[in-house]
Amino acid sequence: MTALLKLSGLIDAFTRWTGKRLAWLILVAVIISAVNAIVRKTFDTSSNSWLELQWVLFSIVFLLCSSWTLLDNEHIRIDIVNAMLPKQMRNVIDLVGHLFFLIPLTVVMIITGVPFFLRSFQINEQSGNAGGLPQWPAKSLIMIGFAMLLVQAISELIKRIAIMRGMIPDPHESQVSALEAEVEHLVEAIEKK
């Protein structure tokens, strides 16, 4: 189990490093969107390439940062119900969810995503819009994103088993969700007034 925990640590480090860098593409997409809107309104011209680039950049962040979201325990769940459950039950739910739902989903998406990408790559599929971008790079994001999510799910599974065995502390036990932190911040601001 020690070797698996070391592997999990390497996966986590790669996921965090990748996520922190790719998240900046949201800013790039916003800048491109703003410049494109200004050019369109000012000069009454636009480019499908720039519009499609915004979509691709958002897709990169959404698909390739999903593993970072899982790592930081910020994925969607019913927090109200989850918080009321005993710790052991939450561990079992995470274990079963990762093992029987998340991992099989990622495997199916990779298996179906690879031929989807390869067909597009082989024919050098281009956008149906005039002046648009090639489609195969965007289609590759599906298999890459789900492969990264699969690897991170395996890391989470390793850590959850180690937590249940008492080998490591739960890194998310005292974690406050982003929504809870925002609510606390707002309550503090209101109380100061």
Side-chain angles (χ1 to χ4, degrees):
M1 193 69 180
T2 305
L4 289 174
L5 284 170
K6 286 181 182 177
L7 174 64
S8 175
L10 291 172
I11 293 168
D12 292 353
F14 173 76
T15 297
R16 189 172 312 283
W17 183 87
T18 304
K20 284 183 175 184
R21 276 140 190 87
L22 292 177
W24 283 98
L25 293 178
I26 289 292
L27 177 61
V28 175
V30 168
I31 291 169
I32 289 171
S33 178
V35 169
N36 198 27
I38 291 167
V39 167
R40 187 174 59 246
K41 296 295 181 187
T42 306
F43 302 108
D44 196 30
T45 186
S46 185
S47 166
N48 286 329
S49 296
W50 290 106
L51 289 171
E52 290 181 9
L53 182 58
Q54 295 168 54
W55 303 335
V56 171
L57 290 172
F58 180 77
S59 298
I60 290 170
V61 173
F62 181 80
L63 288 165
L64 303 188
C65 290
S66 62
S67 54
W68 184 30
T69 303
L70 181 63
L71 170 64
D72 282 351
N73 200 36
E74 291 293 333
H75 53 287
I76 296 175
R77 63 164 52 116
I78 304 172
D79 287 331
I80 295 168
V81 174
N82 193 50
M84 293 189 312
L85 296 173
K87 179 181 164 187
Q88 193 64 16
M89 177 68 89
R90 290 192 306 256
N91 286 335
V92 170
I93 289 171
D94 279 350
L95 186 74
V96 169
H98 286 78
L99 192 59
F100 294 109
F101 297 102
L102 180 57
I103 290 176
L105 170 71
T106 58
V107 170
V108 167
M109 291 304 294
I110 293 167
I111 289 170
T112 58
V114 169
F116 181 66
F117 159 72
L118 289 175
R119 278 192 303 274
S120 181
F121 179 75
Q122 288 168 347
I123 64 170
N124 194 24
E125 184 179 5
Q126 300 296 310
S127 172
N129 299 316
L133 298 175
Q135 294 298 295
W136 61 266
K139 289 183 177 184
S140 73
L141 296 173
I142 296 169
M143 64 179 187
I144 295 168
F146 278 98
M148 290 175 66
L149 188 57
L150 171 63
V151 171
Q152 188 59 45
I154 292 168
S155 174
E156 295 302 312
L157 196 60
I158 292 167
K159 289 185 291 190
R160 191 57 46 197
I161 291 168
I163 289 165
M164 292 173 78
R165 289 182 173 181
M167 297 174 71
I168 61 170
D170 189 344
H172 306 299
E173 190 169 13
S174 62
Q175 178 183 12
V176 177
S177 73
L179 180 60
E180 290 175 65
E182 186 65 26
V183 169
E184 287 177 17
H185 179 69
L186 290 172
V187 169
E188 288 175 8
I190 291 170
E191 288 175 351
K192 286 182 181 178
K193 288 184 180 184

